Amino acid sequence: MKDILTAPFVEEMKETTANMYRLGWDERNGGNISYMLDEEEVAQYLDLSNVIRTIDTGFDATPLIGKIFIVTGSGKYFKNVTKAPQINLGIVRIAKDGTTAELLWGFEDGGTVTSEFPAHMMSHMARLEVNPANRVVLHAHPTYTLAMNFVHQLDDRAVTRSLWQMCTECMVVFPDGIGVLPWMLCGGNDIGIATAEKMKEYRLVIWGLHGLYGAGKDLDETFGLLETVEKAAQLYMLTAHLPRLYTITDPQLLQIAKAYHVEDICRKDFLDI
Ligand code: 2HA
Ligand code: ZN
């Protein structure tokens, strides 16, 4: 059996949490990650018949039965993942009943999965329906995205348009737009259900006045999604109070979509054309 602390997926989690912490997106215990792993790969590091303990999730994740995820822990700090992954991360498998998570590794101080486990697992279920290659759900509190929430109309179309207009790259990175939820109480099934509903349509969902969710096929791609939104929100916040002399026009946005072959997935109903 290989040493799990050398596994590429543990390395990736360390790297991603460290980057997110350094960017100021995940203060204290802010943010959480879930990353679906390949069973055969995990079996090189862990005895998959050895369940350390079980965790009652309080929701039904039947489509994910048998799936294995590495997840950040409840109340754990991204800042601390690199120095103690075995405490701050855990590897869980959704049990045959669909409502229990079986701990296979980690949370060695008796900890448990992120408080946002419902939103994560429900988002995985929603995204897998749309894209069977989806593996990752990321949540963070990126500063400018959050700041923008307090001064910008909170609806899918309006937020997507403002972000698209801020960087030429945005249309290429998220032509499918960004979903926006109003403020809701976090940490429970209701916000999970609402997030998953948006995830049927979008890979990016803003939790109004709270933070950002992203989903993708790997950590790099998903991190890149959040990073691009945050860059655009930063430019918005740096310019929102100044007279706007120039903007990327709607015909130009469509021109980008055509040139980068994303016209089919681009939310054309978000353009005034
Ligand atoms: O886990 O970010 O949404 C801390 C949070 C809750
Ligand atoms: Zn949060």
Side-chain angles (χ1 to χ4, degrees):
M1 206 67 78
K2 295 198 232 173
D3 177 4
I4 182 101
L5 293 175
T6 67
F9 48 81
V10 173
E11 281 300 321
E12 280 182 89
M13 290 292 282
K14 283 159 59 175
E15 200 181 324
T16 305
T17 48
N19 280 334
M20 292 171 83
Y21 175 67
R22 289 280 162 225
L23 285 164
W25 299 356
D26 298 279
E27 71 291 343
R28 200 175 181 272
N29 64 319
N32 23 75
I33 303 180
S34 58
Y35 174 14
M36 191 195 292
L37 303 177
D38 177 54
E39 185 179 322
E40 279 177 29
E41 190 181 1
V42 184
Q44 296 173 24
Y45 302 92
L46 297 176
D47 172 2
L48 298 181
S49 65
N50 181 27
V51 175
I52 299 165
R53 56 193 153 91
T54 57
I55 298 160
D56 181 21
T57 68
F59 62 93
D60 179 36
T62 296
L64 300 177
I65 289 172
K67 300 288 187 209
I68 298 173
F69 295 87
I70 187 163
V71 290
T72 50
S74 176
K76 298 292 190 266
Y77 298 12
F78 275 25
K79 176 171 72 69
N80 297 336
V81 170
T82 299
K83 66 180 177 202
Q86 69 282 6
I87 289 174
N88 296 291
L89 302 176
I91 294 179
V92 294
R93 177 175 55 207
I94 303 300
K96 289 196 175 62
D97 64 4
T99 62
T100 304
E102 300 170 326
L103 182 66
L104 302 174
W105 173 82
F107 302 143
E108 282 184 5
D109 63 347
T112 188
V113 292
T114 166
S115 58
E116 304 299 356
F117 200 63
H120 278 254
M121 293 302 116
M122 292 178 195
S123 293
H124 278 285
M125 291 189 263
R127 287 312 305 169
L128 284 166
E129 289 274 325
V130 184
N131 173 18
N134 195 84
R135 292 286 174 275
V136 171
V137 173
L138 288 188
H139 167 59
H141 304 157
T143 311
Y144 291 93
T145 305
L146 208 34
M148 185 178 168
N149 277 214
F150 292 89
V151 298
H152 194 281
Q153 190 188 339
L154 287 180
D155 76 60
D156 305 2
R157 190 178 192 274
V159 171
T160 300
R161 286 180 57 78
S162 289
L163 294 174
W164 278 351
Q165 287 167 358
M166 286 298 131
C167 310
T168 297
E169 229 199 349
C170 285
M171 175 56 88
V172 184
V173 177
F174 54 95
D176 44 346
I178 178 160
V180 183
L181 289 176
W183 182 90
M184 290 179 75
L185 185 65
C186 59
N189 288 352
D190 288 351
I191 199 166
I193 293 164
T195 308
E197 198 53 39
K198 288 284 186 196
M199 283 277 182
K200 290 179 184 168
E201 210 177 325
Y202 303 103
R203 293 170 297 150
L204 285 159
V205 179
I206 285 176
W207 276 10
L209 316 178
H210 178 139
L212 182 60
Y213 264 78
K217 68 174 166 46
D218 56 36
L219 280 169
D220 233 20
E221 179 190 86
T222 317
F223 182 84
L225 271 178
L226 267 62
E227 201 176 24
T228 308
V229 168
E230 175 63 354
K231 179 62 177 279
Q234 181 175 13
L235 289 165
Y236 181 86
M237 292 309 293
L238 288 171
T239 55
H241 55 297
L242 300 171
R244 176 88 73 95
L245 298 184
Y246 305 102
T247 200
I248 304 175
T249 65
D250 286 52
Q252 287 169 337
L253 288 169
L254 186 60
Q255 202 183 342
I256 303 167
K258 285 182 176 161
Y260 286 87
H261 311 293
V262 293
E263 198 189 349
D264 288 352
I265 43 173
C266 159
R267 285 296 296 255
K268 285 201 218 52
D269 56 325
F270 286 1
L271 292 173
D272 290 328
I273 286 186

